């Protein structure tokens, strides 16, 4: 059984990574929207950025709500995995370390919530 400090630390980790992903997703989404309305040629991958950042914006609240943590967490893992793959395929390896850290933090939050749910349903532990 995990201690109270561990529970608090993982909860802070989940909220921190969730809010950071929400902020970065919002910045990306807003940046793509403003560039689409600029004069000139729009970025070819703007729709991919809009789709991924919009999906992040929708998945983060699901990850932070205890009843929907699994749906939001797995959605975030898929989105982060796609972002890593797209960056790697384009040879853009700058910033992949941050994406990996986001993925690990989301995974840790999912495991922690699943373990807590297992402990709560099994009173012998």
């Amino acid at each position: 059984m995990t201690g109270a400090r561990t529970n608090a630390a993982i909860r802070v980790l989940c909220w921190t990574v969730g809010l950071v992903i929400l902020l970065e997703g919002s910045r990306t989404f807003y940046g793509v929207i403003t560039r689409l309305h600029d004069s000139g040629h729009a970025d070819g991958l703007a729709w991919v950025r809009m789709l991924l950042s919009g999906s992040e914006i929708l998945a983060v609240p699901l990850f932070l709500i205890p009843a929907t943590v699994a749906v939001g967490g797995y959605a975030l893992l898929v989105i982060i995995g796609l972002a890593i793959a797209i960056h790697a395929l384009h040879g853009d390896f700058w910033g992949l370390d941050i994406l990996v850290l986001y993925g690990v933090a989301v995974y840790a939050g999912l495991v922690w919530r699943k373990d807590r749910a297992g402990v709560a349903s099994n009173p012998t532990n």
Side-chain angles (χ1 to χ4, degrees):
M1 178 178 256
T2 59
R5 290 188 329 184
T6 302
N7 288 337
I10 298 292
R11 185 169 284 138
V12 168
L13 175 68
C14 290
W15 275 91
T16 302
V17 76
L19 294 176
V20 168
I21 291 173
L22 183 63
L23 175 67
E24 291 300 320
S26 299
R27 283 183 183 169
T28 302
F29 191 82
Y30 179 74
V32 171
I33 293 289
T34 56
R35 273 186 266 146
L36 287 178
H37 297 297
D38 288 346
S39 61
H41 183 62
D43 186 20
L45 292 176
W47 65 274
V48 174
R49 287 189 185 117
M50 256 176 42
L51 181 66
L52 284 176
S53 60
S55 299
E56 286 176 351
I57 293 168
L58 296 175
V60 166
L62 295 175
F63 175 64
L64 295 177
I65 297 170
T68 58
V69 69
V71 173
Y74 288 119
L76 282 174
L77 288 177
V78 168
I79 294 164
I80 292 167
L82 286 171
I84 290 171
I86 290 168
H87 278 276
L89 288 172
H90 285 104
D92 180 17
F93 297 103
W94 190 80
L96 286 185
D97 51 349
I98 300 298
L99 290 172
V100 171
L101 285 173
Y102 291 165
V104 170
V106 169
Y107 180 71
L110 282 171
V111 170
W112 173 74
R113 295 265 175 111
K114 185 177 180 187
D115 286 349
R116 282 189 45 150
V119 169
S121 66
N122 187 2
T124 59
N125 288 341

